[in-house]
Amino acid sequence: MNFYEIYGVAYVLDLILGDPHWFPHPVRIIGKLIEIFEKTLYGFKNKKLFGGIMAILVIGITGVVSYYLAKVSVVLEIFFLYTTLATKSLGAEGVRIYKVLKTGDLELAKREISYLVSRDTDSMDEVQIVRSTIETIAENSVDGVIAPMFYAFLGSLIMVNGVSLALPFAMGYKAVNTLDSMVGYKNDKYIDFGMVSAKIDDLFNLVPSRIAGMVLIPLASFLTGTGYSKPLFIFYRDRLNHSSPNSGHPEAAFAGALGLQFGGKTSYFGKFYEKPTIGDKIKEFQMEDIRRAFKLMYMTSFVGLIIFSLIHMMIRGELLGLTWW
């Protein structure tokens, strides 16, 4: 099988199966590995150094194990590539909150959104819940879909002893992302120990976030009938209006596509912050915007699959019926 066929099967599996709660997902195993290394290394005085050692060990072990899994059979490679994608699970989170809001149960909606965001949810109204849900979908469209897809296709171009590095690259990215989500915080505990993990995550998301914001989301917006010019305009204007060096890129394109304004007054740990705004406030947030957001996310994932597959075929010479290697 050609790699784009292999990845196409993995992509479809994700759309069908998502992330079943009963399944011991590889990311959970990576999380356990991080916990083991943290318990072992956190006690050392030079926390930046040993936090960096932990990050390198976790990413390295994940990559090596993934290489040997891919070496066993193409079936295992497909299966584990599927687990690196979160298209359906990300969409399902939005759908769940949308359905709760439709029932009018605001307290349950607050509880559901609290599982997705770190901001305070107790005092949220419906508009803030919708905004938080859509911002999460926009940001995680890179972390959960486009970035692992990008690294899988990048790794597929490199062969080691007849085995492509698609799975090691994609799963290695998931290790990077998991490290950042567990220790990449600027609080007293992790400001030093998690510094390397946070910086590596910023580096690994640098290219995918810009590809998503500049190319994939505007194309998806065009294909879903909302045009490509506004997402591009807001992307170039507002992509840096974010504390993260990468998150603002997909969020700006999403805001432009949906005609919404992200950012503004947000509460974290009992304190209110005025976040820079992203997008123009053409309309107020409404429940139906959640459905529009996850449709845009799905289309973005599909556009990414097609474009990365075409680039892969061009590089390999397969698009013209030729094979260069």
Side-chain angles (χ1 to χ4, degrees), residues 44-316:
F44 287 94
K45 187 175 181 180
N46 192 334
K47 289 191 169 28
K48 289 182 181 179
L49 173 63
F50 283 93
I53 291 172
M54 179 188 74
I56 292 167
L57 286 172
V58 170
I59 297 166
I61 290 170
T62 302
V64 171
V65 171
S66 300
Y67 171 82
Y68 283 103
L69 286 171
K71 191 174 184 179
V72 172
S73 74
V74 70
V75 174
L76 272 182
E77 182 181 25
I78 290 171
F79 176 78
F80 282 100
L81 281 170
Y82 136 63
T83 67
T84 65
L85 291 167
T87 314
K88 183 175 181 178
S89 61
L90 181 56
E93 298 290 353
V95 170
R96 184 164 62 251
I97 293 169
Y98 169 79
K99 287 181 176 178
V100 172
L101 286 173
K102 289 285 281 186
T103 69
D105 192 339
L106 198 63
E107 292 305 313
L108 180 56
K110 290 178 186 178
R111 190 158 66 247
E112 291 291 343
I113 191 64
S114 70
Y115 301 136
L116 301 182
V117 298
S118 58
R119 64 192 70 175
D120 298 332
T121 61
D122 290 344
S123 60
M124 281 187 176
D125 57 20
E126 182 179 302
V127 168
Q128 291 170 320
I129 291 171
V130 172
R131 189 194 102 193
S132 298
T133 303
I134 296 173
E135 287 177 346
T136 299
I137 292 172
E139 180 179 355
N140 288 332
S141 65
V142 172
D143 295 354
V145 184
I146 299 305
M149 187 181 291
F150 169 79
Y151 282 107
F153 275 93
L154 182 65
S156 73
L157 299 173
I158 306 170
M159 305 291 289
V160 176
N161 296 324
V163 180
S164 100
L165 296 188
L167 183 59
F169 272 40
M171 202 62 81
Y173 170 78
K174 298 305 288 187
V176 168
N177 198 235
T178 307
L179 279 160
D180 182 63
S181 68
M182 291 182 68
V183 303
Y185 298 102
K186 293 181 179 179
N187 55 26
D188 291 341
K189 183 176 182 180
Y190 291 121
I191 185 73
D192 291 326
F193 191 74
M195 185 194 73
V196 173
S197 293
K199 294 298 182 183
I200 293 174
D201 185 74
D202 288 343
L203 180 63
F204 271 65
N205 280 306
L206 191 70
V207 174
S209 63
R210 284 149 181 80
I211 291 173
M214 189 164 44
V215 180
L216 304 183
I217 297 169
L219 278 174
S221 176
F222 172 75
L223 292 172
T224 53
T226 51
Y228 63 86
S229 58
K230 193 66 174 178
L232 272 177
F233 174 75
I234 299 298
F235 167 79
Y236 281 108
R237 192 192 72 185
D238 294 347
R239 68 190 188 279
L240 301 181
N241 292 357
H242 202 289
S243 58
S244 163
N246 299 311
S247 298
H249 293 74
E251 286 193 25
F254 257 79
L258 300 174
L260 300 169
Q261 187 176 78
F262 297 159
K265 195 174 183 180
T266 308
S267 175
Y268 291 95
F269 307 107
K271 294 179 66 176
F272 280 97
Y273 298 87
E274 196 65 36
K275 297 173 69 175
T277 57
I278 296 175
D280 295 325
K281 193 174 181 178
I282 298 172
K283 60 187 287 297
E284 188 55 271
F285 287 93
Q286 298 173 340
M287 279 186 284
E288 290 302 316
D289 292 324
I290 296 176
R291 288 171 58 88
R292 295 172 62 219
F294 74 69
K295 286 178 182 177
L296 180 61
M297 183 272 297
Y298 269 100
M299 184 58 76
T300 300
S301 73
F302 180 70
V303 170
L305 175 68
I306 297 301
I307 288 182
F308 291 146
S309 294
L310 289 173
I311 292 172
H312 179 275
M313 293 166 70
M314 289 174 63
I315 293 173
R316 295 293 300 268

